[in-house]
Amino acid sequence: MRFPFSNTLLLVLISGLTACGQTSAKKTADNPYARKTEEEWKSELTPMQFNVLRKKGTERAFTGEYWDHHEKGQYVCAGCGLPLFTSDTKFESGTGWPSFYQPISPEAVMVNKDLSYGMVREEVVCSRCGGHLGHVFDDGPDPTGLRYCMNSVSLKFQKGK
C-alpha cells in the first residue's frame, strides 16, 4: 500500500505533532530539571509549591507573598532558580497576583495553550524546569499590552538584582 506522503514529509509531520504536545522543560541532555521524578520534586518543594509548579494548581488571589511586593530586584523560578521577571516590569493589575508586562528574556518562559476548566488561556511555564507559573493575558499595560499573571509560590525574590 502506498501513502501519498514522502518519508521526509511524514517525519516532519510526526515531529511537529510531538513538539506541539510538549508542555514541560526543554528536553536536553544537560538539563537535570527535565529528568527529576515526582518524588524528587516533592522532597524539594513545599506542598503548595509542588501543587502549583508541578500539578498546575493556583494560589488564591491576594494571599501570595508577592502580589503587593514593591522591592527592587528580580523574580526567579522557585523550582530551579532561573531568572524570570524583574521588578521594573511588575505592575499593579488589581487581580491579587503578581503581574508583569514582560519576562526578563523571551527564552525565560514558554507559553502553552491551556484548555482546562472550559476556558482557552495561555499557560506560562519556566523554560528550564517546566514549572507552572501562571497565565498570560492581552490586557496589560504598554509597552507590550501583556499581563503575565503569576503565582507568588512559583517565584522567589532576589533583592537588588
Side-chain angles (χ1 to χ4, degrees), residues 52 114 122-125 131-137 149-151 154:
V52 174
D114 178 359
E122 300 293 321
E123 176 195 22
V124 179
V125 299
H132 172 77
L133 303 171
H135 292 87
V136 62
F137 303 94
C149 189
M150 304 292 98
N151 288 284
S154 296

Side-chain angles (χ1 to χ4, degrees), residues 66-140:
Y66 302 125
W67 76 270
D68 193 28
H69 186 252
H70 302 284
E71 287 184 88
K72 293 290 183 191
Q74 72 178 3
Y75 297 83
V76 302
C77 176
C80 70
L82 181 69
L84 300 170
F85 300 95
T86 69
S87 57
D88 294 337
T89 63
K90 190 173 187 290
F91 68 97
E92 296 300 322
S93 66
T95 62
W97 288 280
S99 297
F100 306 86
Y101 62 79
Q102 73 184 24
I104 207 163
S105 76
E107 296 80 25
V109 298
M110 294 187 310
V111 177
N112 303 309
K113 188 167 286 204
D114 178 359
L115 302 174
S116 63
Y117 304 107
M119 295 182 274
V120 178
R121 298 180 292 174
E122 300 293 321
E123 176 195 22
V124 179
V125 299
C126 172
S127 66
R128 185 190 297 167
C129 71
H132 172 77
L133 303 171
H135 292 87
V136 62
F137 303 94
D138 62 2
D139 60 359

